[in-house]
Each structure stands twice: as C-alpha cells, then as structure tokens.
Amino acid sequence: MIQTETCLLLERVARQDRAAFRDLYHHAGPKLMGVLLRILGTRSEAEDALQEVFTRVWLRAGRFDPSRGAGMTWLVALTRNHAIDRLRARKPEQNDDDAAALIADSAPRAETRLIAQGEARRVSECFDTLEPARAEAVRGAYLDGLSYEALATRHGIPLNTMRTWLRRSLLKLKECLEQ
C-alpha cells in the first residue's frame, strides 16, 4: 500500500468513515502488530495494544496532518508511543527465586526455639516452687482463662482470698524468674 493511500484512508477515518477504517485496519494492522510485538514481546499483549491503538486512530484521525509526514509514519509513531506507555505501566518483573526470598519464614529460628525451650523450662521449674493448689489457680486464671469467681468456687475459698493467692503467686513467680 502506498503512503498516499494511507493518508487518504486517515482523512476518511477522520470523517468517521467505517469502510475506510476497516481498510486501514486491514492494510496497516500487520505492520503495526509487528512494531508492537518487537516492543512488548508477547502476542497477547500486542493484540490488546493493537486494539487500543486503532481505538486511538478512530478518535484522533482528525489530528493527522499530511503536510507533516506520511500516514504510515504517523500510525507507527502512535503505535510506538502506546507500546512504550504500556511498558512503563508494567510492574517490575520478579523471577520466582526473588519472590520466594521476599516471603518471610514464619517458623522460629533454631536460636529462638532454644531460648523459648529454656524459658519454658524455667517457668515450669518456678511453678514447681508454688503450692500445688496455688499453681493450679494461676494456670486456671492465666492459661485457661477462668474467672476469679470460678476459681474461688472450684477451690472452695472466698473471692478475695483467691485474688490474694493469685497476686502473691505471681510475685513469687516473678522473683523466681528474675534469679
């Protein structure tokens, strides 16, 4: 197709001539698709971009000025600029190894596990220093979530006595753990 025909088709498209648009798509589409494939790299993205380019051609054909250059040159420039815009809009690609490195390992490290085991052993040893009924009351209140009233009823003691047991037991555990 000679350049003057492209110019004539663009002038007709500017007047909303659908037949001219169909002819322009038939004649210029393959060349513009080649431009898009070279820049974008994937056929599916190039096909999407080609549709968007021809939508722009339909809307902007009136801006084409044959005195400033050939019709195909204008189409290729429009296509190239659109492809570059799409490239800029892409998110940076990461390969699977990079993505995997960014995922935090939720498992505790060996050092953290050893420290936690040592702390748990110390807490258990400190619990052994409490009277059995009081250790059971602390476990019930702070590990099982039982209310002071429920604990007082379970142990058969007044509510205020249970509060005193728990307060004194916590102080004793604190002293033990600080040693």
Side-chain angles (χ1 to χ4, degrees):
M1 177 172 189
I2 23 183
Q3 293 297 336
T4 55
E5 287 180 295
T6 305
C7 291
L8 292 173
L9 288 173
L10 283 169
E11 288 173 1
R12 287 175 50 203
V13 169
R15 293 188 302 266
Q16 307 294 296
D17 183 339
R18 291 177 188 265
F21 184 73
R22 187 173 29 256
D23 290 343
L24 183 65
Y25 187 89
H26 175 71
H27 293 293
K31 181 169 183 148
L32 300 180
M33 180 65 160
V35 170
L36 290 167
L37 278 170
R38 276 192 303 278
I39 296 172
L40 298 174
T42 62
R43 183 162 198 82
S44 62
E45 188 173 10
E47 288 170 352
D48 290 344
L50 185 64
Q51 284 186 346
E52 293 168 1
V53 165
F54 272 100
T55 300
R56 287 182 180 189
V57 168
W58 179 258
L59 297 172
R60 298 180 184 175
R63 295 182 187 175
F64 170 67
D65 181 4
S67 66
R68 296 184 66 201
M72 187 56 78
T73 304
W74 184 79
L75 289 170
V76 169
L78 187 72
T79 302
R80 181 182 169 280
N81 291 341
H82 182 65
I84 291 170
D85 289 345
R86 285 183 74 110
L87 286 176
R88 287 180 182 148
R90 283 183 185 170
K91 292 181 183 174
E93 292 183 17
Q94 295 180 340
N95 64 30
D96 291 341
D97 293 337
D98 292 340
L102 295 175
I103 298 172
D105 184 6
S106 60
R109 296 184 359 228
E111 178 184 2
T112 306
R113 284 194 310 263
L114 289 173
I115 290 170
Q117 287 173 351
E119 291 292 323
R121 188 173 27 258
R122 285 188 63 221
V123 168
S124 179
E125 290 169 356
C126 288
F127 260 95
D128 291 342
T129 65
L130 298 176
E131 295 175 27
R134 293 181 185 196
E136 184 183 330
V138 170
R139 283 188 184 98
Y142 300 106
L143 299 178
D144 299 334
L146 298 175
S147 69
Y148 291 176
E149 291 177 52
L151 288 168
T153 303
R154 177 186 283 181
H155 290 278
I157 59 172
L159 179 61
N160 286 335
T161 303
M162 176 54 65
R163 287 185 177 137
T164 302
W165 275 18
L166 292 172
R167 186 172 43 79
R168 287 181 182 167
S169 296
L170 289 176
L171 289 172
K172 192 170 182 183
L173 285 173
K174 181 181 175 189
E175 285 176 19
C176 178
L177 289 171
E178 288 175 349
Q179 291 178 356

